[in-house]
Amino acid sequence: MNEVTQRIAEAEDAAAIDMLGALFDAHGWTHEFLGDDEIHAEVPGSWTTYSLRGIWRAEDGVLQLLCLPEVRVAKEKLPAAYELLTLINEQMWLGHFDIWSQGEVLLYRHGLMLGGDGTLGIDMAQLAVESALSECDRFYPAFQFVLWGDREPQAALDAAMVEAVGEA
C-alpha cells in the first residue's frame, strides 16, 4: 500500500472512487481508474474471478457497484435465466442480478446513495464490496446449473442452496 492509499484508508471518508482504490490496494487486487468517476478491479471469488466496477454518478449522488462473473447467457437460455433471476432477486435485500441486454452478460448491481459530496468510509466500502462478492459466490452455482447443466430454475436454485449450506 503506497502512502496516498494509506492516508485514504485511514481517513474517515474519501471520494468514493478513491476509497475503492484504497480498498483494492489493501487487498492487493489488480485495478485501474477509468477516469475520475470509475474504477475497475479483477477480484478472485470462490468460483471464478469477478470483474468489479465502481461508477460514481455525481448528478444522483450514487455509487453504483457492478460485479460481473464473466457469464454470458446464450439466447436459447434467456427464458430459464430470467426465471432464475426472478427467484434469486426475491431472496435479496440489497442489490439484484440482471442480464445486460448488450451481450447477454450476467451481472450483480447495487447502488449506494452517498449524497452530493460523494464520500465513502472504508467500513462501508468494505461492506459493499464483500456483499457483492458474497452474493455472486452464493448464486453462481445456480446459474451454472441452469446455463450449463440444463436444470430447471427452481431445481437449480434449490440444489445451489443445499450445496452452499453443506460447505459452511
Side-chain angles (χ1 to χ4, degrees):
M1 193 179 318
N2 65 37
E3 183 181 327
V4 172
T5 302
Q6 184 67 33
R7 280 196 318 258
I8 290 171
E10 290 173 356
E12 276 188 38
D13 295 313
I17 299 302
D18 293 337
M19 184 59 79
L20 287 176
L23 179 66
F24 298 162
D25 273 344
H27 283 284
W29 296 335
T30 302
H31 64 281
E32 64 179 317
F33 290 92
L34 305 172
D36 292 338
D37 60 353
E38 187 171 353
I39 188 169
H40 172 259
E42 294 295 321
V43 180
S46 296
W47 304 103
T48 189
T49 298
Y50 298 109
S51 175
L52 185 64
R53 288 185 180 268
I55 304 167
W56 169 242
R57 292 180 44 99
E59 62 273 15
D60 300 323
V62 172
L63 173 66
Q64 184 171 226
L65 284 179
L66 303 173
C67 192
L68 297 93
E70 296 192 32
V71 171
R72 294 197 183 277
V73 181
K75 288 194 187 300
E76 65 272 7
K77 297 286 186 171
L78 280 172
Y82 281 123
E83 184 178 339
L84 179 60
L85 283 176
T86 300
L87 295 170
I88 289 171
N89 286 337
E90 287 176 348
Q91 298 183 35
M92 299 183 67
W93 285 56
L94 296 172
H96 68 278
F97 283 93
D98 205 349
I99 297 173
W100 215 335
S101 62
Q102 298 174 346
E104 287 81 33
V105 175
L106 176 69
L107 62 94
Y108 169 86
R109 181 189 326 239
H110 177 66
L112 289 87
M113 297 178 69
L114 303 180
D117 65 356
T119 59
L120 181 65
I122 191 67
D123 291 341
M124 182 58 73
Q126 180 73 28
L127 184 61
V129 168
E130 284 178 0
S131 176
L133 296 173
S134 174
E135 295 294 16
C136 286
D137 277 345
R138 181 164 73 130
F139 293 110
Y140 187 84
F143 288 107
Q144 284 186 317
F145 291 148
V146 166
L147 299 175
W148 299 298
D150 291 325
R151 288 199 186 173
E152 292 296 316
Q154 185 64 59
L157 183 59
D158 292 344
M161 295 296 93
V162 167
E163 290 176 19
V165 169
E167 290 179 22

